[in-house]
Amino acid sequence: MKIKTRLFSELTQPEIKFQLEKNPLVLFPTGSVEQHSAHLPAITDSIAATTVCELVAAEMDGLVLPAPAVGVTPMHMPYEATVTLTPTTFQRVVIEICESVAQHGAKNLMIVNWHEGNIASLSIAAEELHRRVGYRVIVVQACYVAEELWGDNCGGLTHAGEIEALAVMATRPDLVHLDRITGGSDKRQGQHMDKLRRTRSFQPVLTDIRNIAPSGWYGNPEPATEKRGQGMMKEIAEYIACEATELFDQLKTVLR
């Protein structure tokens, strides 16, 4: 039997049973629904996470679980187009969906995240899924992988900047409106504040995106094209698939 899609929700019961018996790997995309100014859709982060998941699933022969687009993003609530969950609700949603599939035979779980506001909650959820359900779990911060691989060419990882425009353009160019770009904040301030909150040693708590970018976004999405977006996402997925394959192999030796 050969499946035609990697999306769990688009397959039939026999196809899912066959695939989980063949390879018990499932991927769970997490992003957000939040403002990305006038040129990118509110669902930008979730589109990015899902695209990466589908590409990685094809590389690693896994299934992409049905995941809600909404994440933990109170920082963006001052702007319309933002919908947020509380950390507790978000954790329960992740845990209960992934736990359901474990009952059907899934053993390896890769959570692919493209939203920094989800990181703390995902750490807690992943720990619980491992301890309670027995999953071998890898959490991948795909947005940081994008920054590592493409940051130098795209002015870093900026909110609604080039990397995020490319991530949407790869599969949904119809949702990107570069002709509507207006009012981006000063890049130096945005990069300075983002650098502060992304360090390993010290993380200041910021409650409003305007503390980082008064306009709600910064960066330069203008160079983004559909072809470059597809190239970026392909490179990100290939990198993640390679690293994750090695990590799961290592986990198998220590987690029975």
Side-chain angles (χ1 to χ4, degrees):
M1 183 183 297
K2 184 177 182 181
I3 59 174
K4 295 181 179 180
T5 176
R6 293 291 164 177
L7 296 177
F8 184 99
S9 57
E10 294 184 2
L11 294 169
T12 66
Q13 178 269 323
E15 289 173 324
I16 291 170
K17 182 177 186 293
F18 166 81
Q19 183 60 32
L20 289 176
E21 289 176 349
K22 179 185 176 189
N23 185 10
L25 168 67
V26 291
L27 297 90
F28 191 92
T30 57
S32 65
V33 176
E34 65 187 28
Q35 66 84 24
H36 280 78
S37 192
H39 57 281
L40 292 180
I43 200 172
T44 288
D45 292 4
S46 291
I47 289 175
T50 302
T51 300
V52 172
C53 273
E54 289 191 58
L55 292 170
V56 173
E59 290 276 338
M60 297 182 66
D61 193 25
L63 293 177
V64 180
L65 297 180
V70 180
V72 181
T73 185
M75 179 181 283
H76 291 271
M77 281 301 290
Y79 290 93
E80 296 82 3
T82 304
V83 179
T84 189
L85 297 175
T86 64
T88 301
T89 299
F90 179 68
Q91 289 164 28
R92 293 314 312 167
V93 168
V94 174
I95 289 168
E96 290 179 19
I97 291 174
C98 295
E99 187 175 29
S100 294
V101 187
Q103 293 184 37
H104 303 314
K107 300 185 186 315
N108 296 330
L109 169 64
M110 186 191 309
I111 299 173
V112 178
N113 181 51
W114 193 293
H115 174 60
E116 290 169 293
N118 294 339
I119 292 176
S121 297
L122 288 175
S123 295
I124 295 170
E127 174 82 7
E128 183 168 342
L129 283 163
H130 167 62
R131 290 187 179 277
R132 207 175 76 190
V133 182
Y135 268 120
R136 303 180 190 98
V137 188
I138 297 172
V139 181
V140 181
Q141 305 303 338
C143 51
Y144 291 162
V145 174
E147 182 181 32
E148 291 173 11
L149 297 179
W150 280 66
D152 289 343
N153 295 325
C154 297
L157 177 63
T158 65
H159 184 67
E162 186 178 0
I163 283 179
E164 296 203 317
L166 289 169
V168 179
M169 273 191 158
T171 56
R172 293 299 307 273
D174 57 304
L175 298 181
V176 179
H177 310 286
L178 298 182
D179 58 318
R180 301 180 190 175
I181 295 171
T182 182
S185 293
D186 179 70
K187 182 177 179 179
R188 289 171 298 177
Q189 176 183 341
Q191 286 184 323
H192 175 68
M193 296 305 294
D194 269 335
K195 183 178 179 180
L196 287 177
R197 70 191 184 118
R198 290 170 180 164
T199 65
R200 292 177 58 189
S201 302
F202 301 92
Q203 293 90 35
V205 175
L206 301 175
T207 58
D208 191 325
I209 183 60
R210 291 172 294 187
N211 299 143
I212 299 172
S215 69
W217 76 281
Y218 76 100
N220 179 25
E222 290 183 3
T225 66
E226 185 176 349
K227 182 177 180 180
R228 289 185 71 237
Q230 292 170 350
M232 182 185 80
M233 298 305 267
K234 182 175 184 292
E235 185 175 341
I236 290 169
E238 288 175 348
Y239 179 86
I240 290 173
C242 180
E243 294 293 315
T245 297
E246 291 186 11
L247 282 172
F248 276 124
D249 286 344
Q250 293 173 21
L251 288 177
K252 286 177 185 177
T253 67
V254 295
L255 302 175
R256 301 297 181 181

